[in-house]
Amino acid sequence: GSLVSRTVGETLLWDLSPTGPAAVGAIDLGSSMPHALTLSPKGDEVAVPTSGSLMRYDIATGRPAGDALTSDMIHFLLPAPVSSDWRLVAALDDEGRGWVYDLETLNPVMELPACTVPKNFNTTGTAVLVDWMEGCEADESPGARLYSRLLVVPSGEELLDLGEDPLWSIPGGVFN
């Protein structure tokens, strides 16, 4: 087995097998602080959001496993959740708009409603939990409605209205 852990500036890859070395290696993140690590279902990749980007890394080599999703809006207060089936990632762009992206191609799959922040996906990646964005004024964002909800991916159809109370925790909700 493997363990992925984080410290300021690096993400460590540990081999936990009885015959393996104590530490496999490290992923160089420069001065960025990693947070909210997500391991792929196969255990061969890890998604590492840092201040300004989300990058997938190959566990065996520590090298990037694709292009980075970059945005000034990706940081520890605003998560970039990855679906458990490793197909999708949700994040805010540089202008504060929320999007669901294909994790492999980074192409947009759907735009999230104005004044919302993505929190988590359901287990199949067919729905995304969004929270309303504190500080967003509905009258300044046409069509914005300040409440948390569960939306169908990619149609955006609302499955569940969670009300006006913010989902402060990260991931904001978990699914089984």
Side-chain angles (χ1 to χ4, degrees):
S2 299
L3 168 69
V4 180
S5 63
R6 64 186 179 145
T7 64
V8 176
E10 73 181 349
T11 297
L12 303 173
L13 306 174
W14 301 90
D15 184 344
L16 301 179
S17 64
T19 59
V24 174
I27 298 171
D28 181 12
L29 302 174
S31 62
S32 296
M33 175 64 179
H35 55 91
L37 305 174
T38 306
L39 194 61
S40 70
K42 294 179 184 176
D44 59 341
E45 291 183 5
V46 63
V48 182
T50 63
S51 294
S53 73
L54 179 124
M55 177 62 87
R56 293 177 11 251
Y57 291 93
D58 181 281
I59 290 287
T61 66
R63 293 193 178 117
D67 293 329
L69 176 62
T70 58
S71 168
D72 289 338
M73 299 298 290
I74 297 175
H75 56 78
F76 71 96
L77 292 176
L78 301 174
V82 178
S83 63
S84 61
D85 62 3
W86 213 242
R87 290 182 310 115
L88 305 170
V89 60
L92 298 182
D93 66 16
D94 291 336
E95 297 173 8
R97 291 183 318 232
W99 294 89
V100 173
Y101 300 95
D102 180 287
L103 185 60
E104 182 71 29
T105 66
L106 301 181
N107 290 328
V109 172
M110 73 179 272
E111 184 173 6
L112 299 177
C115 291
T116 62
V117 176
K119 289 291 198 168
N120 204 0
F121 288 96
N122 69 344
T123 57
T124 59
T126 57
V128 62
L129 180 64
V130 297
D131 198 5
W132 62 275
M133 188 184 313
E134 175 131 7
C136 186
E137 299 295 329
D139 57 344
E140 294 175 13
S141 300
R145 296 177 11 225
L146 301 181
Y147 66 98
S148 302
R149 55 206 140 182
L150 185 63
L151 304 173
V152 174
V153 175
S155 72
E157 175 188 345
E158 186 176 301
L159 288 175
L160 182 63
D161 176 345
L162 297 169
E164 297 177 4
D165 290 332
L167 306 170
W168 290 110
S169 66
I170 295 175
V174 292
F175 298 89
N176 69 8

